[in-house]
Short mmCIF file of all heavy atoms in Angstrom, two decimals:
data_model
loop_
_atom_site.label_atom_id
_atom_site.label_comp_id
_atom_site.label_asym_id
_atom_site.label_seq_id
_atom_site.Cartn_x
_atom_site.Cartn_y
_atom_site.Cartn_z
N ASP A 311 -7.33 -6.48 -15.00
CA ASP A 311 -7.97 -6.97 -13.78
C ASP A 311 -7.33 -6.36 -12.50
O ASP A 311 -6.19 -6.16 -12.44
CB ASP A 311 -7.88 -8.53 -13.63
CG ASP A 311 -8.55 -9.22 -14.76
OD1 ASP A 311 -9.59 -8.75 -15.32
OD2 ASP A 311 -8.14 -10.42 -15.07
N PHE A 312 -8.19 -6.07 -11.54
CA PHE A 312 -7.76 -5.62 -10.29
C PHE A 312 -8.02 -6.74 -9.27
O PHE A 312 -9.13 -7.17 -9.11
CB PHE A 312 -8.45 -4.34 -9.82
CG PHE A 312 -7.95 -3.78 -8.52
CD1 PHE A 312 -6.71 -3.12 -8.40
CD2 PHE A 312 -8.67 -4.05 -7.39
CE1 PHE A 312 -6.30 -2.62 -7.16
CE2 PHE A 312 -8.23 -3.55 -6.14
CZ PHE A 312 -7.04 -2.87 -6.07
N GLN A 313 -6.91 -7.16 -8.55
CA GLN A 313 -7.10 -8.27 -7.64
C GLN A 313 -6.71 -7.76 -6.28
O GLN A 313 -5.72 -7.16 -6.04
CB GLN A 313 -6.20 -9.43 -8.08
CG GLN A 313 -6.37 -10.67 -7.15
CD GLN A 313 -5.62 -11.78 -7.72
OE1 GLN A 313 -5.16 -11.85 -8.87
NE2 GLN A 313 -5.41 -12.82 -6.84
N LYS A 314 -7.62 -8.07 -5.26
CA LYS A 314 -7.36 -7.66 -3.87
C LYS A 314 -8.11 -8.60 -2.97
O LYS A 314 -9.38 -8.82 -3.24
CB LYS A 314 -7.73 -6.20 -3.64
CG LYS A 314 -7.35 -5.68 -2.28
CD LYS A 314 -7.60 -4.22 -2.15
CE LYS A 314 -7.20 -3.72 -0.79
NZ LYS A 314 -7.31 -2.28 -0.66
N ASP A 315 -7.61 -9.05 -1.91
CA ASP A 315 -8.28 -9.90 -0.93
C ASP A 315 -8.96 -11.09 -1.59
O ASP A 315 -10.09 -11.43 -1.23
CB ASP A 315 -9.31 -9.07 -0.11
CG ASP A 315 -8.65 -7.95 0.64
OD1 ASP A 315 -7.48 -8.09 1.08
OD2 ASP A 315 -9.34 -6.88 0.80
N GLY A 316 -8.32 -11.64 -2.58
CA GLY A 316 -8.86 -12.85 -3.27
C GLY A 316 -9.98 -12.54 -4.25
O GLY A 316 -10.51 -13.48 -4.79
N LYS A 317 -10.32 -11.32 -4.36
CA LYS A 317 -11.38 -10.89 -5.34
C LYS A 317 -10.76 -10.30 -6.55
O LYS A 317 -9.81 -9.56 -6.52
CB LYS A 317 -12.37 -9.93 -4.70
CG LYS A 317 -13.14 -10.56 -3.55
CD LYS A 317 -13.99 -9.54 -2.88
CE LYS A 317 -14.64 -10.13 -1.64
NZ LYS A 317 -15.43 -9.07 -0.93
N ILE A 318 -11.32 -10.61 -7.76
CA ILE A 318 -10.90 -10.07 -8.99
C ILE A 318 -11.95 -9.28 -9.67
O ILE A 318 -13.08 -9.75 -9.84
CB ILE A 318 -10.41 -11.19 -9.95
CG1 ILE A 318 -9.19 -11.97 -9.32
CG2 ILE A 318 -9.93 -10.63 -11.29
CD1 ILE A 318 -8.77 -13.18 -10.13
N ALA A 319 -11.64 -8.05 -9.99
CA ALA A 319 -12.61 -7.16 -10.71
C ALA A 319 -12.02 -6.86 -12.09
O ALA A 319 -10.92 -6.37 -12.23
CB ALA A 319 -12.79 -5.86 -9.96
#
Side-chain angles (χ1 to χ4, degrees):
D311 295 331
F312 180 80
Q313 184 173 345
K314 185 174 181 178
D315 299 328
K317 297 177 184 172
I318 298 175

